[in-house]
Amino acid sequence: MNEAQLATRRHWSAQRERGSLLLMRFTAFVARCCGRRLLSPLLHLIVLYFFLTGRRARRSIHEFYERLAASSGRAGLRPTPRRVFAQFMAFADCLLDRLDVWRGALRLEQVRLLDPDGLRAQLLASRHGGRGQLLVGTHLGNLDVCRALAELGEQVPLNVLVHTHHVAHLNRLLGEAGEQRLRLIQVSELDAALMLDLSQRLDRGEWLAMAGDRVPLHEGRRIAVDFLGRPAPFAQGPWLLAGLLGCPVNLMCCIKREGRYEIRLERFLDAPAWERGQRDVAITGWAQRYADRLAEWCLLAPQQWFNFYPYWDATDA
């Protein structure tokens, strides 16, 4: 196997789904009919299986805690088997929350919103005219809370740019729960046809949302910046897209604190643009700022870091 084939096989988007749709459906059924408390013993067994058989995922979370502890100077964050297992349990809890939110079990008034820049008002106003904006999220926490409340609760025009081909089982399950109403746009490359489509959506007042903490498979759309004390690959896509489309960029994060979800919205770039010949410099600067903000959010909810792959080795993986 040559280097390119190895990189493709180990990239996060090539990871096979572990677990069957039948098991996921059964777990969702028990949670819906019996509640989380009765499901707890079964859920622990299911998670324990994935924990014991997921050596690569265990090592990845272990490395995350090592880097988080070292970069923050907080020795209490150093990895332990208990802490790593708790990360798996937190992810299972997040998946169940995703199913709940798409069934309408979570309402906007049950979520704390931190929005110092008034972005929610701008998002709602876009339904009546004006140009859309870009929301850049992360796989820290549960972005489905934001997505579902936007689509099912407030009916805002939100388009989510995703890689969906590698999560077929979960997509089917979420579709059964109500996610079919969401505008999901499969993205692999920012080609001319896609850019035209996205520009037209923005002109209609629709908003775009995408994650900024996972790199695409193709080497040309990533850039290495410092994250938790070591260079890590980050996607160029959000910043390249914003500059080419000339739309404001906002950051979005949804974490669970003390049993309650907290949505954080904040302005990141008002008018992204670059001077001639300075595109790479501008994108690197924006990606570094994003990585720095992500590091701060990780300290707020370290147990909700849900990137279960070798994050710092992703350029090789």
Side-chain angles (χ1 to χ4, degrees):
M1 181 178 296
N2 60 36
E3 184 177 347
Q5 290 173 323
L6 181 61
T8 299
R9 182 179 65 83
R10 297 179 61 195
H11 185 268
W12 70 264
S13 65
Q15 300 305 303
R16 293 183 179 180
E17 292 180 80
R18 302 177 63 226
S20 68
L21 179 61
L22 181 61
L23 178 60
M24 295 171 72
R25 278 177 168 163
F26 174 72
T27 304
F29 173 79
V30 174
R32 183 171 62 252
C33 296
C34 303
R36 297 282 187 93
R37 182 169 298 180
L38 291 179
L39 176 64
S40 182
L42 174 62
L43 190 63
H44 273 77
L45 289 175
I46 294 173
V47 173
L48 181 61
Y49 165 77
F50 287 108
F51 174 77
L52 293 176
T53 59
R55 180 172 177 267
R56 190 164 182 249
R58 291 198 313 271
R59 291 179 61 183
S60 299
I61 296 302
H62 188 279
E63 181 184 24
F64 164 73
Y65 275 109
E66 282 187 333
R67 305 209 176 284
L68 188 63
S71 63
S72 65
R74 299 185 186 181
L77 288 174
R78 290 192 61 81
T80 63
R82 182 185 295 273
R83 177 167 283 133
V84 174
F85 178 73
Q87 203 88 356
F88 282 69
M89 286 298 303
F91 183 59
D93 183 66
C94 174
L95 293 181
L96 292 177
D97 284 345
R98 291 175 70 178
L99 296 173
D100 284 346
V101 74
W102 285 112
R103 284 196 294 266
L106 184 68
R107 299 182 301 277
L108 184 60
E109 57 268 23
Q110 296 173 287
V111 176
R112 183 185 180 198
L113 178 65
L114 300 180
D115 183 18
D117 301 309
L119 298 179
R120 175 172 174 262
Q122 297 176 40
L123 184 60
L124 295 175
S126 66
R127 295 177 299 184
H128 309 295
R131 198 164 189 264
Q133 301 182 31
L134 175 64
L135 290 166
V136 178
T138 168
H139 290 86
L140 175 77
N142 193 341
L143 279 180
D144 272 278
V145 172
C146 307
R147 290 162 50 179
L149 290 177
E151 279 290 311
L152 306 181
E154 300 188 303
Q155 297 295 307
V156 300
L158 184 64
N159 304 276
V160 182
L161 281 61
V162 293
H163 293 274
T164 59
H165 61 279
H166 68 294
V167 286
H169 285 352
L170 185 56
N171 285 336
R172 286 182 61 186
L173 197 61
L174 291 174
E176 293 168 3
E179 194 182 10
Q180 66 269 16
R181 295 171 61 177
L182 189 66
R183 300 181 183 93
L184 294 175
I185 301 176
Q186 172 68 39
V187 176
S188 56
E189 276 295 320
L190 299 178
D191 56 28
L194 176 62
M195 293 297 294
L196 177 60
D197 178 58
L198 296 180
S199 179
Q200 292 173 341
R201 290 174 186 268
L202 289 172
D203 291 340
R204 292 196 298 265
E206 300 179 16
W207 282 47
L208 309 177
M210 64 189 304
D213 60 341
R214 287 188 179 173
V215 296
L217 181 57
H218 301 289
E219 186 72 28
R221 297 301 183 191
R222 64 183 69 184
I223 190 166
V225 297
D226 181 83
F227 178 57
L228 300 182
R230 182 181 169 186
F234 276 76
Q236 290 187 18
W239 325 115
L240 180 61
L241 185 69
L244 293 175
L245 294 176
C247 63
V249 181
N250 313 285
L251 300 187
M252 174 175 61
C253 178
C254 181
I255 55 179
K256 199 171 188 178
R257 306 183 73 189
E258 299 178 352
R260 184 181 183 186
Y261 275 109
E262 181 178 277
I263 297 176
R264 293 171 172 258
L265 297 173
E266 57 188 60
R267 177 72 82 200
F268 188 72
L269 294 170
D270 285 316
W274 47 74
E275 299 291 336
R276 184 178 180 87
Q278 295 297 307
R279 188 184 75 176
D280 290 346
V281 174
I283 289 177
T284 299
W286 297 335
Q288 183 62 69
R289 282 181 53 199
Y290 170 78
D292 292 342
R293 194 70 183 104
L294 179 57
E296 294 172 354
W297 281 340
C298 285
L299 287 173
L300 293 176
Q303 202 173 81
Q304 295 171 57
W305 174 259
F306 297 140
N307 285 304
F308 291 88
Y309 67 97
Y311 201 80
W312 285 265
D313 295 331
T315 49
D316 303 320

